[in-house]
């Protein structure tokens, strides 16, 4: 926000005045603007946003997912023998990635709050692209350990940044399908990664081995994506280069009804009776989101790094394992697409569908434990069934953005989800020990248990927000935060006051009693 243009946001409630920095950035831009947004204009702006923002999000998430799984792919490309890695050291390389992701969450959240989202993300992408390429030169555990740590820290900016972008550019109705597009890249990454891995197995040079070529190819593509991000990824609708000034104002008006705000670069020190941090931590749904994140880390974290070795141990060759990864990706894409369609057509179905998509995962965990080891096809189908949990996580990410309001609270909640997921991903690597192979009964039993806990956390979350909606519907409407003003300086230096909607006041879901939680 330009302090020369905008001086004060005044909240007429018991005589309290809030400085402009505590307002949403969209509030100052739309103040005093006469906006008449018809459906055709809204559609035009939405298509322009889709055209310029979505492809970049999809490409970055694609290479993030492939980059995250490079260690798993490299396991069948020869990295363990080349780098002289024991099973314990290999598992530690999976763990250190999640530790880096966890360590990076707090500074990443602060940076995304303080600095332009697009520029900060591009910096992280460039660093992790370099880290990926450098891993090709490592022939020891120590070098890979350090680079995996850096890689994890930098990747911590992506999902958090995407969740902020999702709520800034698209309406509640649009967010599900948009998140579905870039989240479907988890499946696409398995297909593309599998094909690149298959191709790398056919590259035979004296100086470079297949796993090294794999790191170089993925790292170079990541670097190109980072450069594109720096120049073309917008930080918010207020500075989207592909929109005119009038369209920027209308883009803000489009998402105003979300009541979650656009963006605010300052953590709130105090509003009402509590700080934003205290409110976030005191909200029970925050802890349920954290439990869900922990469960996701414990279930998907193991599969992400162990999948190639799991399939190989069932009795498939390295080349077959690489190509079969494409089927994993197809299962994820189909499950995510079907989930988006169902959630869009069935009212108040977010939580129910997220729970339902865990049922195949529970079945897969059961079958892989009890099917005969000679039933290779049945065991393979069990692994594929567990790939459907990506749809549930995608729905939780959308739903979380629609049951949390206030920029600071959203950033903190995102950080809690990603931090707990990192803890789960780091811990679960130690379950996949050599003594449990090939059946891996202990890891699979733990995986099944945490699938069940995920379902319970989703159910509890839905009960809480449903009760809040009913309580607010029953209460009379209050006038809290009704009179909000932005004071601007005109060309002559005179102060002109404009009233702004409280939808752009950057209120939390607990402060804004007009806010209704999606179900």
């Amino acid at each position: 926000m330009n302090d020369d243009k905008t001086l004060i946001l005044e909240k007429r409630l018991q005589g309290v005045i809030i400085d402009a920095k505590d307002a949403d950035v969209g509030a100052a831009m739309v103040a005093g603007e006469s906006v008449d947004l018809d459906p055709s204009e809204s559609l035009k702006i939405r298509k322009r946003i889709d055209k310029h923002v979505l492809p970049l999000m999809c490409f970055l998430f694609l290479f993030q997912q492939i980059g995250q799984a490079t260690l798993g792919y490299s396991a069948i490309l020869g990295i363990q023998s080349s780098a002289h890695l024991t099973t314990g050291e290999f598992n530690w390389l999976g763990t250190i990635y999640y530790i880096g992701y966890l360590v990076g969450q707090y500074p990443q959240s602060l940076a995304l709050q303080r600095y332009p989202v697009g520029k900060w993300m591009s910096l992280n992408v460039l660093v992790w692209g370099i880290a990926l390429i450098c891993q090709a030169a490592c022939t020891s555990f120590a070098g890979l350990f350090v680079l995996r740590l850096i890689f994890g820290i930098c990747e911590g900016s992506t999902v958090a940044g995407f969740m902020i972008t999702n709520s800034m550019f698209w309406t509640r109705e649009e967010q599900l399908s948009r998140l579905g597009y870039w989240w479907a890249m988890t499946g696409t990454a398995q297909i593309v990664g599998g094909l690149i891995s298959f191709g790398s197995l056919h590259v035979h040079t004296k100086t470079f081995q297949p796993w090294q070529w794999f790191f170089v190819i993925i790292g170079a593509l990541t670097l190109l994506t980072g450069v594109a991000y720096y120049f073309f990824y917008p930080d918010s609708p207020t500075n989207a280069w592909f929109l005119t000034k009038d369209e920027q104002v209308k883009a803000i008006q489009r998402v105003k009804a979300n009541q979650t705000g656009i963006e605010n670069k300052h953590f709130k020190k105090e509003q009402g009776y509590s700080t934003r941090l205290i409110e976030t931590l005191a909200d029970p749904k925050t802890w349920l989101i954290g439990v869900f994140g922990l469960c996701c880390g414990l279930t998907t974290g193991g599969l992400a790094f162990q999948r190639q070795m799991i399939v190989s141990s069932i009795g498939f060759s390295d080349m077959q394992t690489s190509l079969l990864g494409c089927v994993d990706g197809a299962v994820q894409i189909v499950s995510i697409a079907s989930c988006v369609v169902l959630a869009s057509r069935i009212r108040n179905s977010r939580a129910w569908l997220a729970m339902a998509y865990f049922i195949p995962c529970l079945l897969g965990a059961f079958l892989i434990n009890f099917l005969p080891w000679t039933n290779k096809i049945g065991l393979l189908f069990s692994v594929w069934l567990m790939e459907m949990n990506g749809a549930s996580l995608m729905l939780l990410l959308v739903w979380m953005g629609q049951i949390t309001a206030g920029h600071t609270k959203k950033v903190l909640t995102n950080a809690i989800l990603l931090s707990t997921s990192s803890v789960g991903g780091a811990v679960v690597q130690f379950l996949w020990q050599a003594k449990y192979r090939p059946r891996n009964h202990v890891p699979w039993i733990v995986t099944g248990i945490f699938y069940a806990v995920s379902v319970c956390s989703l159910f509890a979350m839905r009960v809480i927000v449903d009760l809040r909606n009913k309580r607010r519907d029953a209460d009379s409407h209050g006038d809290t935060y009704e009179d909000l003003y932005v004071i601007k300086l005109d060309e002559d230096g005179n102060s002109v006051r404009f009233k702004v909607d409280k939808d752009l006041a950057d209120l939390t879901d607990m402060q804004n009693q007009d806010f209704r939680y999606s179900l």
Side-chain angles (χ1 to χ4, degrees):
M1 183 180 296
N2 190 335
D3 290 335
D4 294 330
K5 295 289 185 181
T6 306
L7 297 181
I8 299 172
L9 175 71
E10 180 182 341
K11 174 172 70 69
R12 290 199 164 184
L13 176 66
Q14 300 175 350
V16 178
I17 297 177
I18 300 176
D19 188 84
K21 68 183 181 180
D22 289 330
D24 188 279
V25 296
M29 175 167 278
V30 302
E33 300 286 348
S34 178
V35 178
D36 184 17
L37 184 62
D38 62 46
S40 62
E41 286 181 300
S42 178
L43 178 62
K44 177 183 176 183
I45 292 171
R46 193 211 71 196
K47 286 183 176 180
R48 190 164 292 181
I49 292 170
D50 287 344
K51 177 182 176 181
H52 290 90
V53 180
L54 263 182
L56 286 172
M57 296 176 77
C58 290
F59 273 109
L60 178 57
F61 202 65
L62 170 68
F63 292 120
Q64 184 211 8
Q65 291 298 302
I66 298 177
Q68 181 180 334
T70 47
L71 185 64
Y73 286 114
S74 63
I76 62 170
L77 295 176
I79 191 174
Q80 286 182 278
S81 58
S82 295
H84 315 290
L85 300 175
T86 65
T87 300
E89 288 174 336
F90 183 83
N91 288 341
W92 258 110
L93 293 179
T95 297
I96 196 59
Y97 163 82
Y98 284 107
I99 291 177
Y101 204 100
L102 174 62
V103 169
Q105 276 311 298
Y106 181 69
Q108 290 285 10
S109 296
L110 287 178
L112 287 168
Q113 175 82 14
R114 183 177 181 86
Y115 302 114
V117 173
K119 299 298 182 292
W120 180 254
M121 289 175 66
S122 66
L123 175 63
N124 279 274
V125 177
L126 291 170
V127 173
W128 97 49
I130 293 171
L132 277 173
I133 293 175
C134 289
Q135 286 180 66
C138 293
T139 55
S140 68
F141 170 71
L144 289 167
F145 186 91
V146 173
L147 290 171
R148 294 290 297 178
L149 176 65
I150 295 171
F151 181 46
I153 292 172
C154 292
E155 274 204 354
S157 66
T158 306
V159 174
F162 279 7
M163 294 307 297
I164 294 170
T165 298
N166 228 43
S167 62
M168 287 195 296
F169 281 95
W170 289 288
T171 66
R172 278 192 179 194
E173 293 74 21
E174 297 163 353
Q175 286 173 14
L176 174 62
S177 58
R178 272 62 191 176
L179 193 148
Y181 285 132
W182 58 263
W183 193 257
M185 293 299 107
T186 56
T188 308
Q190 289 177 304
I191 296 174
V192 175
L195 293 174
I196 295 176
S197 173
F198 181 76
S200 299
L201 281 168
H202 291 80
V203 178
H204 302 286
T205 59
K206 293 182 178 179
T207 55
F208 254 41
Q209 296 193 32
W211 67 271
Q212 293 174 305
W213 280 112
F214 188 78
F215 275 115
V216 169
I217 293 169
I218 301 304
L221 292 173
T222 302
L223 280 176
L224 290 175
T225 305
V227 172
Y229 252 68
Y230 182 84
F231 290 105
F232 300 113
Y233 195 81
D235 302 308
S236 77
T238 61
N239 66 356
W241 61 271
F242 52 85
L243 299 176
T244 65
K245 183 64 178 291
D246 179 62
E247 288 172 336
Q248 290 172 357
V249 172
K250 291 176 179 178
I252 294 168
Q253 290 289 346
R254 286 184 71 251
V255 300
K256 182 169 66 69
N258 293 347
Q259 300 191 60
T260 56
I262 300 297
E263 186 179 32
N264 189 298
K265 289 302 180 187
H266 298 265
F267 278 103
K268 302 296 191 301
K269 294 182 179 179
E270 185 175 356
Q271 285 192 355
Y273 298 102
S274 64
T275 64
R276 292 291 172 99
L277 176 59
I278 292 174
E279 177 184 321
T280 303
L281 296 179
D283 193 338
K285 66 178 171 60
T286 300
W287 293 101
L288 289 169
I289 289 171
V291 170
F292 186 92
L294 179 66
C295 293
C296 282
L298 288 164
T299 53
T300 62
L303 286 174
F305 287 104
Q306 305 291 335
R307 182 259 167 207
Q308 279 73 23
M309 288 185 291
I310 291 168
V311 174
S312 179
S313 68
I314 292 174
F316 295 96
S317 68
D318 290 345
M319 289 194 177
Q320 287 173 330
T321 300
S322 295
L323 291 177
L324 285 171
C326 298
V327 181
D328 295 48
V331 171
Q332 284 224 20
I333 292 172
V334 171
S335 60
I336 290 170
S338 63
C339 194
V340 168
V341 172
L342 291 172
S344 300
R345 295 183 179 181
I346 304 174
R347 181 179 173 82
N348 295 332
S349 62
R350 300 282 198 272
W352 298 129
L353 284 172
M355 286 183 261
Y357 273 76
F358 271 118
I359 294 175
C361 301
L362 284 164
L363 178 61
F366 178 84
L367 291 175
I368 203 166
N369 258 304
F370 298 107
L371 282 175
W373 193 242
T374 54
N375 189 349
K376 293 170 56 176
I377 302 302
L379 294 170
L380 186 60
F381 267 87
S382 301
V383 174
W384 288 339
L385 283 172
M386 286 182 281
E387 294 291 344
M388 294 182 69
N389 69 347
S392 295
L393 180 55
M394 180 272 298
L395 268 182
L396 185 277
L397 290 172
V398 175
W399 192 37
M400 187 175 70
Q402 297 175 351
I403 60 177
T404 307
H407 188 71
T408 299
K409 187 174 182 179
K410 284 188 292 185
V411 170
L412 290 170
T413 304
N414 288 343
I416 288 170
L417 172 71
L418 297 175
S419 296
T420 54
S421 177
S422 300
V423 170
V427 170
V428 76
Q429 305 304 322
F430 296 104
L431 280 175
W432 297 87
Q433 298 180 31
K435 64 182 180 181
Y436 297 132
R437 295 175 183 172
R439 289 310 306 252
N440 290 310
H441 282 303
V442 172
W444 289 126
I445 289 172
V446 171
T447 297
I449 290 171
F450 282 102
Y451 280 144
V453 175
S454 298
V455 173
C456 294
S457 65
L458 287 167
F459 179 76
M461 225 184 308
R462 192 187 191 282
V463 170
I464 289 172
V465 297
D466 188 30
L467 288 174
R468 287 183 185 177
N469 280 347
K470 291 176 179 176
R471 188 161 53 245
R472 291 181 182 186
D473 290 339
D475 290 343
S476 59
H477 175 71
D479 61 357
T480 305
Y481 300 102
E482 285 299 320
D483 295 325
L484 296 162
Y485 298 88
V486 167
I487 298 178
K488 290 185 176 181
L489 293 180
D490 61 19
E491 295 180 355
D492 298 324
N494 299 317
S495 296
V496 182
R497 185 174 65 177
F498 299 100
K499 186 173 181 178
V500 296
D501 293 329
K502 70 175 181 179
D503 300 339
L504 292 173
D506 196 30
L507 303 178
T508 69
D509 53 278
M510 299 297 285
Q511 291 174 321
N512 184 0
Q513 294 300 301
D514 284 341
F515 183 88
R516 292 297 182 271
Y517 299 93
S518 294
L519 298 175

